Structures are given as structure tokens and as C-alpha cells.
Amino acid sequence: MAVFSFICITTVFYVVFLGGIVSSQTTHHEPVENHSPSMNTCIQNGIPGIPGQHGLPGPKGHPGDKGDKGDPGHIAVGEKGMKGEPGVKSSQMGTPGPMGHVGPIGPIGPQGPPGGQKGEKGEAGIVSLKIAFTAVNSQNKIVHMGNYMGNWDHMVTNKGNDFDQKSGMFTCRVPGTYVFMFSCLKFSGDGPVCQLRKNNEIVTSAYVGSSSSQFHQTTNGATLALSVGDQVGIRIEFRSGTLHSNENRYISFSGYILFQD
């Protein structure tokens, strides 16, 4: 474009210059027709102007339609590489990892074979027996010489029911070693002698007071080896009399098994 403009300007200057020469030689001017198309073009098409400023941006266009879904891509699988060389074995052992979770309980295994020979029979164990009694009187009791103290008015305990509350006799049904105790109180005057007897034989005795004192408490007891059927009780001797008691229960007779034979 620049070359074309230069040619046009050069042509115009040439025409003007030639016209001046002809004008100076001829007094009569005749119209000169321009038959050159390039000159007409140069006269009609002037020099391009300076470019104008950029206009403001146009409004945002409407969004276009969604395009078609593309074809799935091809998964490229490369060739398998060569096997690497084995690593260098370390001389040091690594740190143990954390303990894993406890697995489920496995099924019960099959029954094992029978054991060895049957062992020998062991010794018989000691059976814990409950044999014990305590009988009391809570009121004055008239006793007669030659008789056993019976008709006890209250039983504190009678484990095994080997003591007869009415007759006042303990009858052994389990052989073993037993402990017996008795206690009596007299008020004024001479009192009787209380004897602990086994199968009517004297074991121990207790004298219940004398005329020199008003109240006199006496007690005694023994440890006896008894067989089945042996009997133990308290017999009154020396004289008849009255033994004193009240709600405090001063008259009592007790016994219990210490161990079984």
C-alpha cells in the first residue's frame, strides 16, 4: 500500500510539471483528457487517515449450545519394564510394627485321647457338723436330790436336736470330742451340789454356796470323748433346794462338738 501511494504522488507531480511546460508554450489551452486509469485512481483514492480509537466492548453474547459428548479416550498401556535388580539386604533389623487386632476365636478342637490310669482313692474328708446346744431357765427352779435337771424353759440353740429339753439329757449320735459347761446361782442358805455326769458317772461337780452368803454363783465344765449313745446331763446331789434365776438367766447348760472322730 505504501508503494502504491508513492507511485500516485509521483504521477501527480509529473502531470503538474508537464502541464506547466505546455501552458508556457501555447497561449490557447485545450482541455486535456486524462486517459490514465492510474491517475484517476490516485485522484479518487487519497492518503489513508490515522486509525481511530478502539470502540467500547459490545454486549455479552448468548451462551452457545452444549457440545456433543466426546468419544472415550483410549487407555494407553505401556510395555512391561524389565525386572529390577534385588535390593541390598540390611544387616540391621527394622523396628517391629504395631500389634495387629486379635483374631476371632477358632472352632473347638477334637476331643483328646483318654487319660492314664485311674488314681487311687483319697482319704475321707472331714465333714463339718453342726451340733451345739444351750438351755436356760429364766425363773427360780426347785431341784431335788438324785434327779437330773430337766424341764428347761428356754432353748437358745439346739443344732442337731441332740439335747432333750424335757429330760435335760444330751445323747451322742456322732462320735467325737465335745465340750460341756453349766452354771447355777443360789440365794440364801445352803445350796445343792451340781454334778456333770457322763452315763451317770461323775465328771465334775460344783457346790452352790453356803449359809454365810446370800448369792453364790458357781460354774464348771469338761471336755469329753463320746461314742454313739453316750448321755451327758446335770444331776443334783447333797441336798434338795432352790436355784435362783430371772430374766437374766443365771441357770444354763451348754455343749457342742469340738471335732469328729
Side-chain angles (χ1 to χ4, degrees), residues 233-254:
I234 300 174
R235 180 169 172 166
I236 303 300
E237 292 296 336
F238 183 60
R239 63 167 57 91
S240 301
T242 301
L243 299 178
H244 177 73
S245 187
N246 52 28
E247 65 275 5
N248 294 320
R249 299 176 179 178
Y250 296 109
I251 306 172
S252 65
F253 182 28
S254 300

Side-chain angles (χ1 to χ4, degrees), residues 11 24 46 67 112 146 156 163 168 188 197 234-235 259:
T11 303
S24 65
V156 176
F163 180 79
S188 71
R197 293 197 176 200
I234 300 174
R235 180 169 172 166
F259 52 84

